[in-house]
Structure formats: structure tokens, C-alpha cells
Amino acid sequence: MNAVEERLERIGEAWLAFTDDPEARIGRWRLDGDEIGLVETFMEAQTMEGSAVEDFFLRLDVPFAVPAAHGLRLREAFIQEIEAAADEMAEAGVEPWRPPPLGPQVDDVAELLALMHAFATTYRSLFPRVILVLLPGELPAGPDAWRWWVSRLAERPIPEHLRFMLFDPTAAPLLDDVASASPSTVMTQAPDLDPAGMLEQLARDVGGTGPGDLFRRYFVGMSTAAQRGDLQAALRMGDSAAELAKRQGWPQQVAVVHMATGSLLLGSGQL
């Protein structure tokens, strides 16, 4: 098992501990920077053929700007994501989904949960759980309002087939009080991922022959080129690594390369 696979296995173990818990509904991941990237890589890998995780993941990059309406903004984004995938779903033979209308109550969290429940119920035969990954950005409405909103979510009776996942900074956590107030509902995860150590281990493992060794050469070459400021060379190495991983049927490695490429483009201002 290489360094990437080791990290993804640790994430998978933490994920199963969360989904296997009969009471946990909100997974709070205490991670920073590249560690978050590795978890997102794990999630991306679960959307590929051959994944061992059957849950339905949906990442929603919705800025936390209007606290009392945040659930409604998430609801809108959820519907947009499903509508954007309508053609792909039809090609796969999946029946179309019609979101339920808004209810009479003015409660953003209740409306979000009702929508997720309707979706999960429609496709229960395809996946056991619907996982909403909340990515609220820089919290324009402020950390106190974010704590208030997450605490409202944690207080609701969330069905077992619905789960939420969010990230909380290691250095300056925002949700300690929420986790303490709802210890059974909010599960805190902090797997030891050590991204820097992962790259060092990959570099040490370079050598030999075969697809695995060639992949490591490409991936480490990508990192080395990025460190010396040669973006184009780094992207070429990344393309080679991703293409090799696709040919070998390695969805997790493909996802890792995509994550690294995204970080490079973001850092260069091209994303």
C-alpha cells in the first residue's frame, strides 16, 4: 500500500465510524489545508465506478451569508446540482426527480431536511444515505452566526439516512461548543493524514518498474516542478499521472491528481 492509499484508508475508516454510528448525523472533521483536500479526494473517489462506499455525496459551496436563510440557499443549490445531472441520470436509466414544493413554515432547516428526505426516499434503492458536504467559505455572516446555524441543525430530528459533513479548523475550531452540546449527534473526526509526510514517502518510494512506480514518478515530478515554479511542467506531469491511473483503473489515484492539480491552479490564480 502506498502513501496515498494509506491516507485514503484512514479517511475511509473514520468515515465508516461516522456512518456506522446509529446516532451521529453531523460529521465534524477537524482538519486544515491539504488535509481537507485529501478528504475531498476521498469523496470524489466515491463517485467513481468501483467505489466501496454506496452513499450519495453532494458538495455544496454555498457562502454562509444570510444565516436565517442559509438552509434555503442550500436547498436551491441542491436542486440545481440534481437538475444539472438530469441528462446523465437519464442515460443511466435513473428515473427523474421532482423536488417537493416549499412548505408553509418559514424554517430554512426544516425545508432543507424535507428536500433531502424526499430525494433520499426516491432513490433509496440506489444508495443507503444522502450526505451533504457543507462548504460555507469564509463565513461572511461571521463565526457566531455559523455556530448558531449548525446548532439549529444539530437540534433537529434528522433521519438516519441523512447526514451532514463539514470542516472545522484545527488551529482555531469554531464548533467546540456545538459538539459539546450535542455529543451524540455531532461526531468529531481528526484522522492523522500528514500530507507533507505523504509526499515525502512517495518521493522515497520512487524507483523500480511497473505502473505503480511510474505513477509515483509522475506524481512526485509534479510536486517537484510546482516547487520550482514551473506550472506547465507540473500540469504535464499531472496529466500523465492521471492518464496512467485511469488506464490502470485506480479511481483514488485519479482523484488525488485532480486534487493536486486544482491546488496548483488555485495557487497560480488560474482557478
Side-chain angles (χ1 to χ4, degrees), residues 15-16 19 42 45-48 50-57 123-131 161:
W15 177 256
L16 290 176
T19 56
F42 169 81
Q46 307 321 308
T47 67
M48 299 180 179
S51 167
V53 177
E54 298 178 346
D55 300 320
F56 177 84
F57 290 84
Y123 300 114
R124 193 64 184 269
S125 63
L126 299 179
F127 35 76
R129 282 173 290 267
V130 172
I131 316 294
H161 57 274

Side-chain angles (χ1 to χ4, degrees), residues 86-99:
D87 290 343
E88 183 178 345
M89 293 169 66
E91 290 177 2
V94 177
E95 64 179 287
W97 177 65
R98 297 289 181 267

